[in-house]
Amino acid sequence: MSSPQPKTTDTVPSSNADWQARKTAAIARGQGNIAAVYIDRAQNAEMWDVEGRRYIDFGTGIAVCNTGHSHPEVVAAVKEQIERFSHTCVMVTPYDSAVRLAERLNELAPGASAKKSMFVTTGAEAVENAIKIARAYTGRRGVIAFNGGFHGRTLLAMGLTGKITPYKNLFGPFPGEVYHAPFPIPFHGVSVDQSLAALKTLFKVDIAPEDVAAIIVEPVQGEGGFYAAPDEFLQALRKICDEHGIVLVVDEIQSGFGRTGKFFASEYAGIEADILTTAKGIAGGFPLAAVVGKTEIMDAPLPGGLGGTYAGSPVGCAAALAVLEIIERDGLVARAAAIGQRAGDRLDALQKQHPEVIGEVRADRGAMLAIELVKNGDAADPDAELTRQLVAAAYENGLVLLSCGVNGNVIRMLPALTISDELLDEGLDIFGACLAGLI
Ligand SMILES: Cc1ncc(COP(=O)(O)O)c(C=O)c1O
């Protein structure tokens, strides 16, 4: 029998520790938190906790607040929207902002083919819908994803995810007809040729290519460790999909909206996805996600087959239209590339100082930066403990950092694209000092 619910008081605790104690008692442990830091307010690239401590934010709520926290124009657009109405359901009585946003996304998605969009609320839902659409279009069942890929926490998205801990432990059985192939990571000795050879083997031993509805790939693996798919790999997948009538789904949920120095990261490889999923950075902190794809594919499901009560909420659409305007007007795609260059130079210098612990710096995808920590300079010897300590030390010193990677040994940096050079440098100084203090 569970113990009786502790009585809550309405007094507002003033410390992070007090809130963490209440959180632990009230919220299921599965919904963990990296740091016991309770945010009181946030502005652009800085946050302040309930104890008044200030943090430089290199996490942006996991690649969401690309235009910074509470951008005044996003706030104004949202306020204006909620004063008019906050919800009617786009599937009942729609509104112009959803149509305008779909038109903009159809233009922005790479490639010349005519496109259509549909909206949902979260990234996982976008992935689920992309697969539903691919199955409806092809009449096939199979889906191929990649080792280390992350596509969300709902059952199908989790099945597609190629990383067990903490996403898949205890949650099986998983949906059928999902297969995983190796993702090319030169640092870990997996070449593009090896990945493609494994895919060919999969077609021989697990599922015939003519039974495959979709191949889903992140152009830069996010949770898996911030590994950019080599251009020739994405180009080869495009070719394989064309040869076999497979729908190529490019998951740009973490890599999209200017983050990598292109509007969508798949632009680096010059490929056109059949279906692209986007979420996170799309609406500057409001829950919104979209599936954008070639018209004939997107129109395969029957009317009413796609959607959701809050799909394409007017508040999210208003925020997203403001985000798009800010990205374009303020040149934030180019700014992401400049952030990557500036931080990359600093991190490369740090690697030269500490080659035994920094195995690799990945700074060729704009403001989606990674530092892989190893023991004795050996790529095969990940240092998850140092990574954990470094993230903790950064919080102690006022810097929000996230980790990732199948082995938990990658530090990721995802600053707002609106961060100033001064704040970026200050955050990197803290990072360097914390690392030096631990090794
Ligand atoms: C590449 C990718 N796909 C899908 C998702 C799932 O998005 P959400 O958490 O909004 O469901 C994420 C989230 O981190 C992601 O990075």
Side-chain angles (χ1 to χ4, degrees):
M1 242 180 60
S2 58
S3 46
Q5 188 70 17
K7 265 214 151 56
T8 51
T9 61
D10 274 344
T11 55
V12 180
S14 55
S15 81
N16 289 314
D18 287 346
W19 276 118
Q20 186 65 13
R22 273 175 76 168
K23 188 236 167 188
T24 304
I27 297 183
R29 70 173 183 161
Q31 202 164 44
N33 53 314
I34 295 171
V37 169
Y38 284 73
I39 296 304
D40 178 48
R41 69 194 168 88
Q43 190 64 51
N44 195 13
E46 292 169 288
M47 308 200 286
W48 289 264
D49 72 10
V50 290
E51 296 175 14
R53 297 181 59 202
R54 170 237 194 202
Y55 300 81
I56 296 171
D57 186 11
F58 277 8
T60 45
I62 321 188
V64 169
C65 299
N66 291 3
T67 49
H69 290 286
S70 301
H71 191 293
E73 287 165 50
V74 177
V75 171
V78 164
K79 275 189 180 159
E80 200 263 336
Q81 178 59 52
I82 53 182
E83 273 163 15
R84 289 197 295 132
F85 62 95
S86 59
H87 177 76
T88 64
C89 189
V90 81
M91 298 184 304
V92 180
T93 47
Y95 28 85
D96 66 283
S97 55
V99 179
R100 286 190 287 127
L101 181 59
E103 289 169 350
R104 294 288 289 113
L105 292 173
N106 297 340
E107 284 162 15
L108 282 163
S113 313
K115 307 274 189 329
K116 281 194 179 183
S117 292
M118 56 88 54
F119 295 110
V120 280
T121 313
T122 66
E125 268 185 288
V127 167
E128 299 264 343
N129 280 277
I131 303 304
K132 281 168 63 177
I133 295 166
R135 283 184 169 162
Y137 177 70
T138 58
R140 303 174 181 180
R141 52 190 168 59
V143 189
I144 296 173
F146 291 93
N147 298 354
F150 181 81
H151 300 289
R153 287 180 158 89
T154 53
L155 266 168
L156 177 59
M158 181 179 54
L160 295 168
T161 289
K163 180 179 172 191
I164 296 288
T165 305
Y167 308 120
K168 295 172 90 158
N169 314 42
L170 310 177
F171 295 136
F174 301 108
E177 301 296 355
V178 171
Y179 303 89
H180 287 93
F183 188 82
I185 303 177
F187 184 62
H188 289 291
V190 184
S191 69
V192 170
D193 285 350
Q194 285 168 329
S195 291
L196 294 173
L199 194 55
K200 279 199 183 134
T201 304
L202 198 148
F203 285 153
K204 281 191 198 138
V205 303
D206 281 323
I207 185 164
E210 54 272 16
D211 287 331
V212 177
I215 294 180
I216 182 164
V217 65
E218 292 162 273
V220 184
Q221 281 199 336
E223 306 303 305
F226 275 31
Y227 300 104
D231 294 348
E232 64 273 28
F233 180 66
L234 293 180
Q235 289 154 4
L237 290 185
R238 178 65 277 170
K239 219 164 143 231
I240 290 166
C241 287
D242 288 342
E243 264 167 35
H244 299 290
I246 298 169
V247 172
L248 180 62
V249 179
V250 175
D251 184 346
E252 294 260 16
I253 286 166
Q254 192 152 165
S255 59
F257 272 77
R259 170 60 57 193
T260 66
K262 303 272 185 200
F263 197 88
F264 287 114
S266 49
E267 290 170 42
Y268 279 100
I271 58 152
E272 178 174 15
D274 296 312
I275 297 180
L276 181 151
T277 53
T278 182
K280 289 189 182 281
I282 190 173
F286 292 85
L288 184 74
V291 183
V292 190
K294 294 179 180 167
T295 296
E296 74 274 16
I297 299 176
M298 293 298 289
D299 275 342
L302 301 174
L306 306 174
T309 304
Y310 296 106
S313 123
V315 181
C317 289
L321 287 167
V323 162
L324 279 174
E325 190 160 328
I326 297 160
I327 291 178
E328 244 165 45
R329 187 199 57 213
D330 296 347
L332 294 186
V333 177
R335 176 67 189 146
I339 289 170
Q341 182 73 55
R342 189 179 184 94
D345 289 348
R346 297 265 321 253
L347 294 171
D348 284 342
L350 206 59
Q351 187 190 22
K352 287 204 177 78
Q353 276 175 340
H354 308 294
E356 292 300 295
V357 292
I358 300 185
E360 190 174 63
V361 168
R362 294 186 281 280
D364 59 347
R365 288 294 184 272
M368 194 164 179
L369 296 142
I371 303 104
E372 183 150 350
L373 300 176
V374 297
K375 294 177 192 157
N376 308 313
D378 182 357
D381 202 354
D383 201 339
E385 181 51 24
L386 177 63
T387 308
R388 198 193 55 72
Q389 289 174 2
L390 187 49
V391 170
Y395 280 91
E396 283 294 306
N397 288 279
L399 175 68
V400 171
L401 279 185
L402 305 174
S403 61
C404 62
V406 174
N407 298 309
N409 68 322
V410 179
I411 298 280
R412 54 178 155 170
M413 294 182 175
L414 294 156
L417 311 183
T418 47
I419 194 170
S420 66
D421 282 345
E422 292 69 33
L423 270 187
L424 180 66
D425 289 347
E426 192 185 336
L428 291 166
D429 287 343
I430 296 173
F431 177 74
C434 289
L435 181 66
L438 288 169
I439 56 180

